[in-house]
Amino acid sequence: MDKYGNPIMVSCGSDGNVRLWETKSYNGTLRKVLRGAHGNIESISAMCTDTEEDYLAVGDTAGHIRIWNISDVLQVKEWLSYQPPMVHWKAHANGVSSLQVVYVGEHKLLLVASWDTKLSLWTMEGGLVGELGKQDWNVEDQSTWQDPMAERRPPPAILPEDFVGGAKSKAHKRLSQITRKVGVIGRIRMIGRRASERRESQTDTVEAEE
């Protein structure tokens, strides 16, 4: 929910975008579009939130993890404005197949499963706790964590479209083009539907006169 108590639904698709919808009305209202996949060919493969629904974690087919603070995202009124994630790192060499926020004592951690058959545990800041079956670590003993302060967080592979040029990045411009195209297609369909209705009305009038 947002700060006003309105229910929020999160959806994603093969286009690599995350959409946040306000669902208090029957049709739903689009509140925000976020870029959740790396580059132009990757797609989103997993999503989850924590129990409190404060954070949204998104994994893609390139092994990247992005985390947003949901409240911060919804505070920005422009639904198509570019909003980088709170943290972004490359967790696995292959795609992310599953994400789950788990709680160990006072720690909130992110469990990540990958197509490379590996399972890893991370802090919400992108610090590696450990990889199952690889390092010698104990989840209940922070001194054994591989990178508890996220000082060695694996950086994402930077692509040219990830750089923000002025107010908008290349990915954001592409998203704007797709959105405008969808809007044009919607208007064309509406015009076609209205024309069809007029033709049917004219046909009914002719039959009535006969």
Side-chain angles (χ1 to χ4, degrees):
M1 292 188 178
D2 62 13
K3 63 179 181 179
Y4 302 108
N6 298 317
I8 299 296
M9 181 183 73
V10 183
S11 66
C12 66
S14 59
D15 61 357
N17 295 321
V18 178
R19 293 172 174 83
L20 282 74
W21 303 82
E22 185 179 294
T23 57
K24 67 177 182 179
S25 63
Y26 176 77
N27 294 325
T29 302
L30 182 62
R31 288 284 298 275
K32 184 63 61 177
V33 178
L34 303 170
R35 186 63 189 169
H38 207 57
N40 295 323
I41 62 173
E42 305 296 342
S43 60
I44 296 170
S45 53
M47 282 197 314
C48 76
T49 64
D50 58 335
T51 302
E52 299 79 13
E53 298 181 347
D54 292 329
Y55 299 102
L56 171 65
V58 177
D60 70 12
T61 52
H64 290 259
I65 301 293
R66 293 169 174 81
I67 296 179
W68 282 272
N69 183 299
I70 297 176
S71 296
D72 291 346
V73 166
L74 294 175
Q75 284 179 1
V76 179
K77 295 182 178 179
E78 295 80 6
W79 67 273
L80 198 55
S81 61
Y82 176 76
Q83 282 187 261
M86 180 182 72
V87 62
H88 176 195
W89 75 95
K90 187 171 177 62
H92 286 271
N94 294 330
V96 175
S97 58
S98 179
L99 293 173
Q100 183 177 350
V101 176
V102 297
Y103 297 81
V104 179
E106 61 182 10
H107 300 292
K108 184 182 297 187
L109 305 173
L110 185 65
L111 186 63
V112 182
S114 172
W115 297 345
D116 57 16
T117 70
K118 296 178 181 178
L119 195 65
S120 56
L121 192 62
W122 305 78
T123 68
M124 298 299 284
E125 293 75 32
L128 179 63
V129 175
E131 186 176 310
L132 271 67
K134 187 174 182 180
Q135 297 98 353
D136 185 15
W137 54 278
N138 184 343
V139 69
E140 297 180 345
D141 184 359
Q142 191 171 355
S143 65
T144 66
W145 294 6
Q146 303 302 303
D147 184 22
M149 304 304 293
E151 297 172 337
R152 302 189 302 276
R153 181 175 60 225
I158 301 299
L159 299 174
E161 56 264 31
D162 292 322
F163 290 101
V164 179
K168 297 181 179 180
S169 66
K170 181 177 179 181
H172 177 264
K173 291 178 181 178
R174 174 59 178 160
L175 180 57
S176 299
Q177 293 171 356
I178 294 173
T179 303
R180 286 196 296 270
K181 185 182 295 184
V182 170
V184 170
I185 292 173
R187 288 194 293 272
I188 291 173
R189 287 176 176 172
M190 182 177 293
I191 292 171
R193 187 162 56 248
R194 288 176 178 173
S196 178
E197 290 173 353
R198 285 197 298 269
R199 286 195 297 270
E200 291 177 359
S201 177
Q202 291 172 356
T203 301
D204 292 341
T205 301
V206 172
E207 291 178 350
E209 290 177 352
E210 292 176 350

mmCIF file of all heavy atoms in Angstrom, residues 166-198:
data_model
loop_
_atom_site.group_PDB
_atom_site.id
_atom_site.type_symbol
_atom_site.label_atom_id
_atom_site.label_comp_id
_atom_site.label_asym_id
_atom_site.label_seq_id
_atom_site.Cartn_x
_atom_site.Cartn_y
_atom_site.Cartn_z
ATOM 1 N N GLY A 166 21.512 13.988 -19.177
ATOM 2 C CA GLY A 166 20.559 15.016 -18.802
ATOM 3 C C GLY A 166 19.497 14.410 -17.920
ATOM 4 O O GLY A 166 19.789 13.729 -16.947
ATOM 5 N N ALA A 167 18.242 14.634 -18.275
ATOM 6 C CA ALA A 167 17.145 14.148 -17.435
ATOM 7 C C ALA A 167 16.733 12.733 -17.786
ATOM 8 O O ALA A 167 16.088 12.060 -17.009
ATOM 9 C CB ALA A 167 15.937 15.075 -17.569
ATOM 10 N N LYS A 168 17.107 12.266 -19.000
ATOM 11 C CA LYS A 168 16.619 10.970 -19.436
ATOM 12 C C LYS A 168 17.762 10.129 -19.999
ATOM 13 O O LYS A 168 18.656 10.624 -20.658
ATOM 14 C CB LYS A 168 15.535 11.133 -20.521
ATOM 15 C CG LYS A 168 14.280 11.856 -20.028
ATOM 16 C CD LYS A 168 13.262 11.946 -21.134
ATOM 17 C CE LYS A 168 11.994 12.647 -20.652
ATOM 18 N NZ LYS A 168 10.980 12.746 -21.718
ATOM 19 N N SER A 169 17.716 8.828 -19.735
ATOM 20 C CA SER A 169 18.682 7.900 -20.296
ATOM 21 C C SER A 169 18.151 7.342 -21.603
ATOM 22 O O SER A 169 16.989 7.544 -21.965
ATOM 23 C CB SER A 169 18.933 6.750 -19.312
ATOM 24 O OG SER A 169 17.757 5.990 -19.173
ATOM 25 N N LYS A 170 18.983 6.627 -22.333
ATOM 26 C CA LYS A 170 18.564 6.010 -23.585
ATOM 27 C C LYS A 170 17.441 5.006 -23.334
ATOM 28 O O LYS A 170 16.479 4.924 -24.102
ATOM 29 C CB LYS A 170 19.758 5.310 -24.231
ATOM 30 C CG LYS A 170 19.435 4.646 -25.571
ATOM 31 C CD LYS A 170 20.687 4.039 -26.176
ATOM 32 C CE LYS A 170 20.372 3.351 -27.497
ATOM 33 N NZ LYS A 170 21.579 2.730 -28.088
ATOM 34 N N ALA A 171 17.580 4.234 -22.223
ATOM 35 C CA ALA A 171 16.530 3.267 -21.886
ATOM 36 C C ALA A 171 15.221 3.983 -21.598
ATOM 37 O O ALA A 171 14.150 3.521 -21.984
ATOM 38 C CB ALA A 171 16.963 2.441 -20.671
ATOM 39 N N HIS A 172 15.302 5.115 -20.927
ATOM 40 C CA HIS A 172 14.093 5.878 -20.608
ATOM 41 C C HIS A 172 13.453 6.422 -21.879
ATOM 42 O O HIS A 172 12.231 6.415 -22.029
ATOM 43 C CB HIS A 172 14.447 7.019 -19.663
ATOM 44 C CG HIS A 172 13.286 7.910 -19.332
ATOM 45 N ND1 HIS A 172 13.045 9.080 -19.998
ATOM 46 C CD2 HIS A 172 12.295 7.767 -18.422
ATOM 47 C CE1 HIS A 172 11.961 9.647 -19.512
ATOM 48 N NE2 HIS A 172 11.486 8.879 -18.557
ATOM 49 N N LYS A 173 14.281 6.913 -22.819
ATOM 50 C CA LYS A 173 13.742 7.418 -24.082
ATOM 51 C C LYS A 173 13.055 6.301 -24.858
ATOM 52 O O LYS A 173 12.006 6.503 -25.467
ATOM 53 C CB LYS A 173 14.871 8.031 -24.916
ATOM 54 C CG LYS A 173 15.439 9.323 -24.322
ATOM 55 C CD LYS A 173 16.584 9.856 -25.159
ATOM 56 C CE LYS A 173 17.153 11.131 -24.556
ATOM 57 N NZ LYS A 173 18.307 11.628 -25.343
ATOM 58 N N ARG A 174 13.674 5.103 -24.838
ATOM 59 C CA ARG A 174 13.078 3.963 -25.529
ATOM 60 C C ARG A 174 11.732 3.616 -24.897
ATOM 61 O O ARG A 174 10.749 3.323 -25.593
ATOM 62 C CB ARG A 174 14.031 2.759 -25.437
ATOM 63 C CG ARG A 174 13.456 1.466 -26.006
ATOM 64 C CD ARG A 174 13.077 1.598 -27.455
ATOM 65 N NE ARG A 174 12.569 0.354 -27.994
ATOM 66 C CZ ARG A 174 11.837 0.264 -29.085
ATOM 67 N NH1 ARG A 174 11.517 1.363 -29.766
ATOM 68 N NH2 ARG A 174 11.430 -0.913 -29.513
ATOM 69 N N LEU A 175 11.671 3.664 -23.569
ATOM 70 C CA LEU A 175 10.425 3.389 -22.867
ATOM 71 C C LEU A 175 9.364 4.419 -23.235
ATOM 72 O O LEU A 175 8.202 4.085 -23.428
ATOM 73 C CB LEU A 175 10.669 3.402 -21.359
ATOM 74 C CG LEU A 175 9.466 3.121 -20.450
ATOM 75 C CD1 LEU A 175 8.850 1.765 -20.802
ATOM 76 C CD2 LEU A 175 9.898 3.136 -18.998
ATOM 77 N N SER A 176 9.784 5.687 -23.377
ATOM 78 C CA SER A 176 8.843 6.732 -23.769
ATOM 79 C C SER A 176 8.292 6.478 -25.164
ATOM 80 O O SER A 176 7.105 6.671 -25.424
ATOM 81 C CB SER A 176 9.534 8.096 -23.721
ATOM 82 O OG SER A 176 9.989 8.387 -22.420
ATOM 83 N N GLN A 177 9.196 6.026 -26.080
ATOM 84 C CA GLN A 177 8.757 5.733 -27.441
ATOM 85 C C GLN A 177 7.739 4.604 -27.456
ATOM 86 O O GLN A 177 6.726 4.662 -28.159
ATOM 87 C CB GLN A 177 9.974 5.353 -28.296
ATOM 88 C CG GLN A 177 10.939 6.510 -28.529
ATOM 89 C CD GLN A 177 12.229 6.041 -29.180
ATOM 90 O OE1 GLN A 177 12.435 4.846 -29.401
ATOM 91 N NE2 GLN A 177 13.109 6.970 -29.481
ATOM 92 N N ILE A 178 7.997 3.546 -26.653
ATOM 93 C CA ILE A 178 7.068 2.422 -26.590
ATOM 94 C C ILE A 178 5.729 2.874 -26.035
ATOM 95 O O ILE A 178 4.668 2.499 -26.530
ATOM 96 C CB ILE A 178 7.654 1.303 -25.714
ATOM 97 C CG1 ILE A 178 8.897 0.709 -26.390
ATOM 98 C CG2 ILE A 178 6.617 0.213 -25.446
ATOM 99 C CD1 ILE A 178 9.645 -0.280 -25.526
ATOM 100 N N THR A 179 5.782 3.703 -24.997
ATOM 101 C CA THR A 179 4.548 4.192 -24.377
ATOM 102 C C THR A 179 3.729 5.013 -25.360
ATOM 103 O O THR A 179 2.513 4.880 -25.452
ATOM 104 C CB THR A 179 4.882 5.039 -23.138
ATOM 105 O OG1 THR A 179 5.662 4.250 -22.237
ATOM 106 C CG2 THR A 179 3.613 5.487 -22.433
ATOM 107 N N ARG A 180 4.418 5.904 -26.112
ATOM 108 C CA ARG A 180 3.710 6.708 -27.112
ATOM 109 C C ARG A 180 3.118 5.829 -28.198
ATOM 110 O O ARG A 180 2.000 6.049 -28.665
ATOM 111 C CB ARG A 180 4.665 7.740 -27.722
ATOM 112 C CG ARG A 180 4.996 8.899 -26.789
ATOM 113 C CD ARG A 180 5.610 10.047 -27.562
ATOM 114 N NE ARG A 180 6.882 9.671 -28.156
ATOM 115 C CZ ARG A 180 8.056 9.816 -27.546
ATOM 116 N NH1 ARG A 180 8.105 10.307 -26.328
ATOM 117 N NH2 ARG A 180 9.177 9.469 -28.139
ATOM 118 N N LYS A 181 3.863 4.783 -28.599
ATOM 119 C CA LYS A 181 3.378 3.875 -29.629
ATOM 120 C C LYS A 181 2.130 3.143 -29.162
ATOM 121 O O LYS A 181 1.166 2.989 -29.892
ATOM 122 C CB LYS A 181 4.478 2.872 -30.005
ATOM 123 C CG LYS A 181 4.093 1.966 -31.158
ATOM 124 C CD LYS A 181 5.212 0.970 -31.457
ATOM 125 C CE LYS A 181 6.459 1.671 -31.954
ATOM 126 N NZ LYS A 181 7.510 0.684 -32.334
ATOM 127 N N VAL A 182 2.170 2.688 -27.901
ATOM 128 C CA VAL A 182 1.000 2.007 -27.344
ATOM 129 C C VAL A 182 -0.196 2.945 -27.318
ATOM 130 O O VAL A 182 -1.325 2.565 -27.626
ATOM 131 C CB VAL A 182 1.305 1.488 -25.919
ATOM 132 C CG1 VAL A 182 0.033 0.998 -25.237
ATOM 133 C CG2 VAL A 182 2.325 0.361 -25.975
ATOM 134 N N GLY A 183 0.055 4.215 -26.974
ATOM 135 C CA GLY A 183 -1.021 5.198 -26.953
ATOM 136 C C GLY A 183 -1.597 5.440 -28.333
ATOM 137 O O GLY A 183 -2.816 5.544 -28.502
ATOM 138 N N VAL A 184 -0.724 5.512 -29.353
ATOM 139 C CA VAL A 184 -1.187 5.710 -30.729
ATOM 140 C C VAL A 184 -2.018 4.523 -31.184
ATOM 141 O O VAL A 184 -3.079 4.672 -31.790
ATOM 142 C CB VAL A 184 0.020 5.921 -31.677
ATOM 143 C CG1 VAL A 184 -0.435 5.874 -33.127
ATOM 144 C CG2 VAL A 184 0.689 7.254 -31.386
ATOM 145 N N ILE A 185 -1.527 3.294 -30.853
ATOM 146 C CA ILE A 185 -2.269 2.094 -31.240
ATOM 147 C C ILE A 185 -3.639 2.088 -30.586
ATOM 148 O O ILE A 185 -4.653 1.754 -31.201
ATOM 149 C CB ILE A 185 -1.480 0.827 -30.846
ATOM 150 C CG1 ILE A 185 -0.212 0.719 -31.705
ATOM 151 C CG2 ILE A 185 -2.340 -0.426 -31.013
ATOM 152 C CD1 ILE A 185 0.714 -0.400 -31.271
ATOM 153 N N GLY A 186 -3.686 2.510 -29.322
ATOM 154 C CA GLY A 186 -4.963 2.569 -28.624
ATOM 155 C C GLY A 186 -5.918 3.550 -29.270
ATOM 156 O O GLY A 186 -7.112 3.266 -29.410
ATOM 157 N N ARG A 187 -5.392 4.715 -29.689
ATOM 158 C CA ARG A 187 -6.252 5.706 -30.341
ATOM 159 C C ARG A 187 -6.733 5.210 -31.689
ATOM 160 O O ARG A 187 -7.875 5.433 -32.088
ATOM 161 C CB ARG A 187 -5.495 7.037 -30.486
ATOM 162 C CG ARG A 187 -5.306 7.761 -29.164
ATOM 163 C CD ARG A 187 -4.862 9.197 -29.395
ATOM 164 N NE ARG A 187 -3.531 9.256 -29.971
ATOM 165 C CZ ARG A 187 -2.423 9.284 -29.253
ATOM 166 N NH1 ARG A 187 -2.485 9.220 -27.934
ATOM 167 N NH2 ARG A 187 -1.231 9.368 -29.819
ATOM 168 N N ILE A 188 -5.856 4.526 -32.445
ATOM 169 C CA ILE A 188 -6.243 3.975 -33.747
ATOM 170 C C ILE A 188 -7.363 2.952 -33.570
ATOM 171 O O ILE A 188 -8.342 2.942 -34.322
ATOM 172 C CB ILE A 188 -5.027 3.332 -34.445
ATOM 173 C CG1 ILE A 188 -4.029 4.431 -34.868
ATOM 174 C CG2 ILE A 188 -5.467 2.517 -35.658
ATOM 175 C CD1 ILE A 188 -2.733 3.878 -35.414
ATOM 176 N N ARG A 189 -7.220 2.098 -32.554
ATOM 177 C CA ARG A 189 -8.255 1.094 -32.306
ATOM 178 C C ARG A 189 -9.575 1.756 -31.940
ATOM 179 O O ARG A 189 -10.645 1.311 -32.336
ATOM 180 C CB ARG A 189 -7.804 0.161 -31.188
ATOM 181 C CG ARG A 189 -6.695 -0.812 -31.618
ATOM 182 C CD ARG A 189 -6.218 -1.629 -30.444
ATOM 183 N NE ARG A 189 -5.226 -2.610 -30.869
ATOM 184 C CZ ARG A 189 -4.514 -3.357 -30.031
ATOM 185 N NH1 ARG A 189 -4.706 -3.229 -28.724
ATOM 186 N NH2 ARG A 189 -3.631 -4.225 -30.485
ATOM 187 N N MET A 190 -9.505 2.836 -31.159
ATOM 188 C CA MET A 190 -10.715 3.533 -30.759
ATOM 189 C C MET A 190 -11.400 4.163 -31.965
ATOM 190 O O MET A 190 -12.616 4.090 -32.133
ATOM 191 C CB MET A 190 -10.390 4.611 -29.719
ATOM 192 C CG MET A 190 -11.611 5.360 -29.195
ATOM 193 S SD MET A 190 -11.178 6.543 -27.906
ATOM 194 C CE MET A 190 -10.660 5.414 -26.613
ATOM 195 N N ILE A 191 -10.577 4.795 -32.858
ATOM 196 C CA ILE A 191 -11.130 5.402 -34.068
ATOM 197 C C ILE A 191 -11.782 4.343 -34.937
ATOM 198 O O ILE A 191 -12.873 4.521 -35.479
ATOM 199 C CB ILE A 191 -10.023 6.151 -34.844
ATOM 200 C CG1 ILE A 191 -9.555 7.379 -34.032
ATOM 201 C CG2 ILE A 191 -10.529 6.581 -36.220
ATOM 202 C CD1 ILE A 191 -8.337 8.037 -34.615
ATOM 203 N N GLY A 192 -11.085 3.185 -35.089
ATOM 204 C CA GLY A 192 -11.634 2.097 -35.891
ATOM 205 C C GLY A 192 -12.932 1.564 -35.314
ATOM 206 O O GLY A 192 -13.874 1.251 -36.042
ATOM 207 N N ARG A 193 -13.001 1.467 -33.971
ATOM 208 C CA ARG A 193 -14.207 0.989 -33.329
ATOM 209 C C ARG A 193 -15.367 1.954 -33.540
ATOM 210 O O ARG A 193 -16.495 1.544 -33.811
ATOM 211 C CB ARG A 193 -13.945 0.797 -31.835
ATOM 212 C CG ARG A 193 -15.091 0.127 -31.087
ATOM 213 C CD ARG A 193 -14.641 -0.424 -29.751
ATOM 214 N NE ARG A 193 -14.031 0.580 -28.920
ATOM 215 C CZ ARG A 193 -12.749 0.615 -28.581
ATOM 216 N NH1 ARG A 193 -11.938 -0.312 -29.029
ATOM 217 N NH2 ARG A 193 -12.279 1.560 -27.801
ATOM 218 N N ARG A 194 -15.077 3.258 -33.440
ATOM 219 C CA ARG A 194 -16.120 4.262 -33.657
ATOM 220 C C ARG A 194 -16.618 4.241 -35.095
ATOM 221 O O ARG A 194 -17.817 4.381 -35.356
ATOM 222 C CB ARG A 194 -15.585 5.644 -33.295
ATOM 223 C CG ARG A 194 -15.404 5.847 -31.788
ATOM 224 C CD ARG A 194 -14.786 7.196 -31.492
ATOM 225 N NE ARG A 194 -14.660 7.412 -30.060
ATOM 226 C CZ ARG A 194 -14.032 8.450 -29.522
ATOM 227 N NH1 ARG A 194 -13.484 9.365 -30.319
ATOM 228 N NH2 ARG A 194 -13.963 8.573 -28.222
ATOM 229 N N ALA A 195 -15.672 4.071 -36.068
ATOM 230 C CA ALA A 195 -16.062 4.010 -37.472
ATOM 231 C C ALA A 195 -16.947 2.800 -37.733
ATOM 232 O O ALA A 195 -17.926 2.868 -38.473
ATOM 233 C CB ALA A 195 -14.811 3.957 -38.353
ATOM 234 N N SER A 196 -16.589 1.678 -37.092
ATOM 235 C CA SER A 196 -17.391 0.459 -37.239
ATOM 236 C C SER A 196 -18.788 0.657 -36.672
ATOM 237 O O SER A 196 -19.779 0.221 -37.265
ATOM 238 C CB SER A 196 -16.690 -0.706 -36.541
ATOM 239 O OG SER A 196 -17.462 -1.873 -36.620
ATOM 240 N N GLU A 197 -18.877 1.348 -35.537
ATOM 241 C CA GLU A 197 -20.181 1.611 -34.926
ATOM 242 C C GLU A 197 -21.041 2.503 -35.821
ATOM 243 O O GLU A 197 -22.250 2.307 -35.933
ATOM 244 C CB GLU A 197 -19.981 2.249 -33.556
ATOM 245 C CG GLU A 197 -19.403 1.295 -32.520
ATOM 246 C CD GLU A 197 -19.064 1.996 -31.221
ATOM 247 O OE1 GLU A 197 -19.161 3.251 -31.194
ATOM 248 O OE2 GLU A 197 -18.696 1.303 -30.243
ATOM 249 N N ARG A 198 -20.400 3.500 -36.474
ATOM 250 C CA ARG A 198 -21.150 4.385 -37.379
ATOM 251 C C ARG A 198 -21.676 3.619 -38.573
ATOM 252 O O ARG A 198 -22.809 3.826 -39.013
ATOM 253 C CB ARG A 198 -20.257 5.549 -37.837
ATOM 254 C CG ARG A 198 -20.045 6.620 -36.766
ATOM 255 C CD ARG A 198 -19.520 7.907 -37.389
ATOM 256 N NE ARG A 198 -18.229 7.709 -38.021
ATOM 257 C CZ ARG A 198 -17.075 7.880 -37.382
ATOM 258 N NH1 ARG A 198 -17.065 8.226 -36.104
ATOM 259 N NH2 ARG A 198 -15.926 7.702 -38.006
#
